[in-house]
Amino acid sequence: MQQATLFGNIVDTYEKIINGHYTSTEEKYSALDSINWDFTGAQTQYLSHRFHSYPARFIPQIPKTFIKLFTKKVDTVVDPFCGCGTTLVEAFLTQRNSIGNDFNPLACLITKVKTRLISDDKLAKLNVKIYKIKRYVDSDRRRYEYRKKLPKRNISNLFNRDMINELCMVKEGLDDIKDDEAIYELGLVALSGAIW
């Protein structure tokens, strides 16, 4: 019974943090001691958090807790090692501005895509393009033509020539929509996620 009460208090503490219950600095620091930082059973893969896998990322409840406790709406949250953007997504969701940086260009691209709003019209445009790419990739004649362009060396031990051929055709198809940065980058990250 005591363990259930303790778990209830931990959940209550987190809910109070999320709802802005704590006002004084002392209350905020005290609340941090009451949190079960494992967030066992918490939903961690919501919205764009599940968009692309990334090593050593942390669960969104951790930055969300600190953002809600120590910042106000329209404040700016800085994450100098943002990885795949978990903190920046949570800053956006809690109506904070954010600045992120990372040494890994793929991490920066993933973060940029995960924190960008894309209109339904642009998503429809990408959907049409993906359908055309699929038809293009499924064409055996085109597959043979593209395979002739590939170098004879072994590009990767992970992918056979047909796989590399299909990936190259998808990338080539995405290059046709480079003029629309938002959907082009979304397509690149989706392709990267599929390869990963």
Side-chain angles (χ1 to χ4, degrees):
M1 184 68 135
Q2 186 178 10
Q3 188 175 12
T5 304
L6 176 61
F7 183 72
N9 290 341
I10 290 169
V11 171
D12 289 344
T13 300
Y14 184 68
E15 289 301 316
K16 288 178 182 176
I17 289 170
I18 299 310
N19 295 320
H21 179 267
Y22 299 105
T23 55
S24 75
T25 304
E26 291 171 7
E27 286 178 319
K28 291 175 182 182
Y29 283 114
S30 177
L32 291 176
D33 291 334
S34 302
I35 293 186
N36 174 1
W37 291 98
D38 289 338
F39 291 98
T40 305
Q43 173 56 268
T44 61
Q45 298 297 304
Y46 54 89
L47 299 174
S48 63
H49 288 303
R50 64 177 165 218
F51 191 58
H52 192 292
S53 61
Y54 196 80
R57 67 179 172 186
F58 59 163
I59 60 174
Q61 285 79 4
I62 294 173
K64 183 177 186 174
T65 299
F66 284 95
I67 291 167
K68 291 291 274 184
L69 269 177
F70 298 106
T71 67
K72 300 180 295 296
K73 289 182 181 178
V74 305
D75 279 354
T76 299
V77 175
V78 177
D79 187 351
F81 309 104
C82 68
C84 67
T86 302
T87 299
L88 279 63
V89 169
E90 287 304 314
F92 175 79
L93 293 174
T94 55
Q95 300 174 337
R96 273 68 167 175
N97 299 308
S98 63
I99 299 171
N101 187 45
D102 201 277
F103 187 71
N104 182 346
L106 177 59
C108 292
L109 182 61
I110 293 168
T111 298
K112 189 175 179 183
V113 168
K114 284 173 60 173
T115 57
R116 177 189 281 149
L117 292 177
I118 299 177
S119 70
D120 289 342
D121 292 344
K122 288 187 181 216
L123 288 175
K125 180 179 175 182
L126 180 60
N127 193 39
V128 167
K129 185 61 182 177
I130 288 170
Y131 179 74
K132 287 179 182 176
I133 291 171
K134 182 180 178 340
R135 285 185 37 215
Y136 186 63
V137 168
D138 289 343
S139 161
D140 286 337
R141 183 172 164 256
R142 178 65 183 137
R143 208 177 270 204
Y144 176 75
E145 289 173 16
Y146 203 84
R147 189 180 310 141
K148 290 190 304 188
K149 295 180 186 178
L150 290 173
K152 297 289 182 202
R153 67 183 181 276
N154 184 9
I155 297 174
S156 170
N157 292 328
L158 299 174
F159 304 106
N160 64 37
R161 290 187 73 73
D162 285 337
M163 291 172 166
I164 292 169
N165 181 32
E166 288 180 13
L167 291 171
C168 289
M169 286 191 285
V170 170
K171 172 65 171 78
E172 187 178 274
L174 288 174
D175 286 344
D176 291 343
I177 55 172
K178 255 186 178 174
D179 60 315
D180 192 332
E181 184 179 300
I183 61 171
Y184 173 68
E185 290 177 344
L186 174 62
L188 288 179
V189 172
L191 176 60
S192 173
I195 293 170
W196 186 266

